[in-house]
Amino acid sequence: QVQLVESGGGLVQPGGSLRLSCAASGFTLDNYVIGWFRQAPGKEREEVSCISVSDDYTHTESVKGRFTISRDNAKNTVYLQMNSLKPEDTAVYYCARRSHYSRSYYSRRCPFEAFLADYWGQGTQVTVSS
């Protein structure tokens, strides 16, 4: 069955770094667009970063220059390298697969909204605090 499993979260001081992993099983990851989303307490889920089938990528404005998304096809894993972390980055981080249901050009592109995802990981907590 299709699964996405996040790992790598934890407690880090402001200015520190973390690398999150999204390990996929049950499908070939490089055939799908993968996004990273986050949700902080009391706030709506938001897209952070996205990597397309062609390895193009997008980031939300608040993380540009600090976060990097990448793919390792041999490990069937997508990573989110987070540098210069700020307290406002504190959230549960989720990876998600963009659906191919529409079979359209857009299903291979970034960014995408949460409602277009067909599978989600369980989430990993990132806490940025001194």
Side-chain angles (χ1 to χ4, degrees):
Q1 69 264 13
V2 171
Q3 276 194 299
L4 296 168
V5 180
E6 303 97 332
S7 62
L11 175 64
V12 65
Q13 294 183 353
S17 298
L18 286 172
R19 188 179 72 164
L20 305 184
S21 298
C22 175
S25 60
F27 70 100
T28 300
L29 190 149
D30 64 0
N31 289 329
Y32 287 84
V33 173
I34 302 295
W36 283 97
F37 296 76
R38 67 185 180 189
Q39 188 163 25
K43 296 184 178 180
E44 295 184 353
R45 189 169 298 187
E46 66 171 342
E47 184 182 42
V48 176
S49 301
C50 178
I51 186 165
S52 75
V53 171
S54 60
D55 286 339
D56 295 323
Y57 61 88
T58 58
H59 301 292
T60 191
E61 284 293 329
S62 64
V63 308
K64 285 183 178 178
R66 300 189 296 119
F67 289 14
T68 302
I69 190 168
S70 62
R71 184 197 311 271
D72 187 335
N73 293 333
K75 297 181 179 180
N76 213 34
T77 299
V78 167
Y79 301 99
L80 184 66
Q81 178 66 47
M82 306 186 297
N83 298 326
S84 302
L85 284 162
K86 304 175 181 179
E88 52 262 43
D89 295 318
T90 296
V92 177
Y93 284 71
Y94 302 87
C95 63
R97 190 183 82 169
R98 181 170 185 165
S99 176
H100 281 180
Y101 184 79
S102 69
R103 298 185 181 185
S104 73
Y105 164 81
Y106 299 101
S107 70
R108 300 167 56 246
R109 302 290 296 175
C110 287
F112 70 97
E113 296 177 305
F115 78 91
L116 294 174
D118 57 2
Y119 290 95
W120 294 83
Q122 84 290 345
T124 185
Q125 177 72 49
V126 172
T127 302
V128 184
S129 176
S130 59

